[in-house]
Amino acid sequence: MIPLGSQDPCALAAAQVFDGERMLGDRVVVLRGGRIADVTAEPPADMPLVRLPAEAILAPGFLDLQVNGGGGVLLNDDASVAGIARIAAAHRRGGTTALLPTLITDTRPAIRAAIAGVAAAIEAGIPGILGIHLEGPFLSPQRIGIHDPGRLAAFGPGDAELLTGLGTRGVTLVTLAPERVPEGAVADLVARGAFVCAGHTADTGLAIRAAVAEGLTGFTHLFNAMSQFGPREAGAVGVALSEEATFAGIIADGHHVGDDQLRLALRLKGRDRLMLVSDAMPPVGDARADASFTLFGRRIVRTGDRLTGEDGTLAGAAITMAQAVRHMSTRGGASLEEALAMASLTPARFLGLDARLGRIAPGHAADLVALAADLTVLGTWIGGEQAP
């Protein structure tokens, strides 16, 4: 990153501005009071003007729904305000200005602690923390991936209340296997304000469609850790691709999903329903040469940007959202505008936050990312303040 100006109010001039829907030519984006005051062709005379480097792109800051860790911190191991702040700071350097810290399958006391930590981080004003993503523990043992099978649980009385303990303090996203929860559980979670996604599921389609009828609206890391599309059974992949009203997150890192599958998902879901996620683990933003870590007693090895257990099982990802945008736009069949929307406006729409996030438009939060021509991050702003 380079210092581009941190004043508020100020005006940012860029040769290219992506407003969340389309790419605009020379524009000046006026920031005031933490929000976007105007998008204009002429700079105002009453405030500092910051000109971005030639060929730079100014876009809405990225919104990442699935961040297990970063900066050497795993949420499961450290749900303190300091730990969550470190995760968020690591991802800001990759263009993410809003995120859901994600707890992978763990015990009920760990779920309580993570929710309390996220609530404290929001109260402390840690920039960019929208809420929490609880991925598990109500998952299929047949599609467990790198999660610890010893921490899987049966959904019981009080679990809906437990999972939605953050309440109105922030967003709650729950990933579950629909066949592993009783009838009515998804409807109960949705009624309590949670967003529910299907993931780590072995169901061939019947339970998933029933969950959609109860209010399930998304799919977690499409193609990965879920039942696949077959000649007679849709599987989770088939339901995700055929249910037009649902959203799906996808990991565009070159390891989790093949490029042909990225193109197919984009063609069928479109940029308005397919969302880029990082599924990031602690090595993101960790400068150590050996950024391996331990996950529930299993050593996770980093090779380039690929993370695996010692048995070769993929163990989350080591990419930023900017890298996901680059991969999607260079190898995944998306235009740059489509890839940028998949990292910003689409996840904001999924969470019902698009009235204030995901766009460069008057009245929206001044959460922005400046990108070089090669899509490396030059700087980010959260609430009009350039992030360190």
Side-chain angles (χ1 to χ4, degrees):
M1 289 190 180
I2 60 174
L4 297 174
S6 59
Q7 308 98 323
D8 181 1
C10 75
L12 304 175
Q16 299 180 85
V17 172
F18 178 69
D19 69 357
E21 300 267 1
R22 63 194 185 281
M23 196 72 75
L24 308 175
D26 286 307
R27 290 292 190 280
V28 177
V29 179
V30 181
L31 314 183
R32 182 181 285 112
R35 296 192 172 274
I36 296 166
D38 198 6
V39 180
T40 179
E42 296 296 330
D46 61 344
M47 63 179 61
L49 176 67
V50 178
R51 292 194 178 276
L52 301 187
E55 300 184 3
I57 301 164
L58 188 65
F62 304 142
L63 196 165
D64 194 347
L65 303 178
Q66 194 168 3
V67 179
N68 311 296
V73 176
L74 181 72
L75 183 66
N76 288 71
D77 293 339
D78 185 356
S80 67
V81 171
I84 292 169
R86 190 166 170 181
I87 292 171
H91 286 274
R92 282 199 294 276
R93 294 191 289 273
T96 296
T97 57
L99 58 89
L100 294 180
T102 301
L103 187 81
I104 66 174
T105 296
D106 214 327
T107 63
R108 289 177 177 86
I111 292 171
R112 262 185 220 96
I115 291 172
V118 166
I122 292 171
E123 184 177 350
I126 302 302
I129 305 301
L130 294 177
I132 192 166
H133 180 173
L134 299 167
E135 187 184 2
F138 310 109
L139 308 179
S140 166
Q142 287 78 43
R143 296 285 181 173
I144 193 62
I146 200 66
H147 291 225
D148 181 7
R151 287 173 165 78
L152 294 180
F155 196 96
D159 281 332
E161 183 179 5
L162 167 67
L163 297 177
T164 56
L166 187 62
T168 59
R169 293 171 291 182
V171 171
T172 295
L173 172 60
V174 176
T175 292
L176 51 76
E179 74 274 21
R180 301 291 293 180
V181 300
E183 181 180 354
V186 170
D188 191 6
L189 289 167
V190 172
R192 293 170 181 269
F195 295 86
V196 181
C197 285
H200 292 271
T201 172
D203 182 66
T204 56
L206 187 62
I208 298 171
R209 291 193 187 281
V212 170
E214 288 190 21
L216 182 145
T217 51
F219 292 81
T220 293
H221 44 51
L222 182 63
F223 294 111
N224 298 120
M226 62 176 56
S227 49
Q228 300 297 299
F229 184 71
R232 287 169 297 279
E233 296 174 336
V237 170
V239 177
L241 294 177
S242 62
E243 286 283 348
E244 295 182 1
T246 63
F247 292 76
I250 200 163
I251 307 167
D253 66 347
H255 306 300
H256 281 78
V257 181
D259 293 342
D260 287 337
Q261 289 87 334
L262 289 174
R263 295 187 188 99
L264 176 65
L266 178 61
R267 180 175 296 182
L268 294 178
K269 295 298 289 182
R271 77 177 199 177
D272 292 335
R273 297 287 171 172
L274 191 64
M275 310 175 289
L276 294 175
V277 297
S278 71
D279 196 22
M281 286 291 196
V284 172
D286 189 340
R288 294 177 300 166
D290 177 13
S292 61
F293 62 101
T294 300
L295 180 64
F296 300 133
R298 299 177 66 178
R299 184 169 180 266
I300 307 301
V301 179
R302 178 178 185 174
T303 306
D305 60 0
R306 179 183 174 92
L307 298 176
T308 62
E310 293 183 314
D311 62 353
T313 302
L314 285 170
I319 60 166
T320 64
M321 286 289 276
Q323 289 172 298
V325 168
R326 185 185 306 115
H327 188 99
M328 195 71 205
S329 62
T330 57
R331 295 177 54 180
S335 67
L336 179 56
E337 290 90 343
E338 287 173 324
L340 288 169
M342 290 166 62
S344 55
L345 182 56
T346 305
R349 280 177 172 153
F350 171 65
L351 295 179
L353 300 176
D354 51 308
R356 65 181 181 90
L357 296 176
R359 297 180 190 269
I360 297 181
H364 280 65
D367 293 0
L368 307 166
V369 58
L371 301 164
D374 64 357
L375 301 184
T376 55
V377 174
L378 300 173
T380 56
W381 291 260
I382 300 179
E385 297 293 326
Q386 189 180 0

